[in-house]
Amino acid sequence: GIQVEQSPPDLILQEGANSTLRCNFSDSVNNLQWFHQNPWGQLINLFYIPSGTKQNGRLSATTVATERYSLLYISSSQTTDSGVYFCAVKSTSGTYKYIFGTGTRLKVLA
Amino acid sequence: DVKVTQSSRYLVKRTGEKVFLECVQDMDHENMFWYRQDPGLGLRLIYFSYDVKMKEKGDIPEGYSVSREKKERFSLILESASTNQTSMYLCAVPGTGGDYSNQPQHFGDGTRLSIL
């Protein structure tokens, strides 16, 4: 089945810094989402982005489906950005399942 | 937007108990999912339901069963809880509109289950 790899696994930033999180996937996808899991365990939808670029405030995401990767950009990071960021994809092979990466754990220091 | 409600945020049970985790959605959606999340492993699908009384096994169904008697409620059952089932459990429902298979997933707040 499709494999999803996220990098880096851990990231520590000073408040105000920018960062790029990467999600690589091994097969064609028709569905890709980025999530933020806050310290209380809640999974928050950030982007639904099977292709193209989207922006929402300080966050933006780009998916290049033909090259099988997606990037999540965080600019001017804040301590509230801390948590785990997950990428989840759905293969074009017809399965209903989302496959999740193992996440990037981000800590933003004040 | 889709609202997904899980009955408990935290739950502590004993080995051998039968445990029920409940998930309720407000959008009359056919599809509902149960995942568990463990450190370093991401989210893994336990079971999926595509309609009332219809279910499919996910990647890690062993030790679990599910029940979908009404469209809005999807229950995950630990038949005889074991310590290796201590985990975070998350219920998900696709978003609204169009082809459900290509809608983003919306998650409940999760249940942190500890089996002692």
Side-chain angles (χ1 to χ4, degrees), chain A residues 3-7 22-26 70 87 100-103:
Chain A
Q3 305 293 315
V4 182
E5 291 184 359
Q6 290 186 243
S7 60
R22 188 175 180 104
C23 173
N24 291 335
F25 40 93
S26 61
S70 183
C87 163
F100 282 76
T102 53

Side-chain angles (χ1 to χ4, degrees), chain B residues 80-98:
Chain B
S80 178
S82 64
T83 55
N84 63 13
Q85 292 179 308
T86 291
S87 187
M88 169 75 118
Y89 290 87
L90 291 143
C91 175
V93 178
T96 55

Side-chain angles (χ1 to χ4, degrees), chain B residues 5-106:
Chain B
T5 303
Q6 293 184 229
S7 53
S8 306
R9 288 299 306 277
Y10 301 93
L11 206 52
V12 180
K13 297 290 183 181
R14 296 204 172 276
T15 303
E17 280 192 71
K18 190 169 186 176
V19 181
F20 293 84
L21 303 182
E22 304 286 339
C23 177
V24 177
Q25 52 123 344
D26 67 350
M27 291 303 294
D28 198 37
H29 214 296
E30 283 80 8
N31 297 352
M32 297 183 76
F33 301 80
W34 272 109
Y35 293 88
R36 68 177 277 178
Q37 182 186 4
D38 300 289
L41 297 177
L43 277 75
R44 294 177 293 167
L45 182 66
I46 306 171
Y47 264 100
F48 158 63
S49 171
Y50 51 95
D51 208 340
V52 174
K53 297 190 187 296
M54 308 302 284
K55 62 185 179 186
E56 277 193 28
K57 293 180 180 178
D59 297 317
I60 51 165
E62 296 79 19
Y64 302 94
S65 63
V66 290
S67 173
R68 185 104 182 262
E69 297 296 320
K70 293 185 178 181
K71 203 171 193 179
E72 69 269 19
R73 187 180 298 270
F74 189 32
S75 302
L76 180 69
I77 304 161
L78 284 66
E79 296 290 344
S80 178
S82 64
T83 55
N84 63 13
Q85 292 179 308
T86 291
S87 187
M88 169 75 118
Y89 290 87
L90 291 143
C91 175
V93 178
T96 55
D99 179 3
Y100 293 157
S101 68
N102 286 326
Q103 292 299 319
Q105 292 207 321
H106 298 267

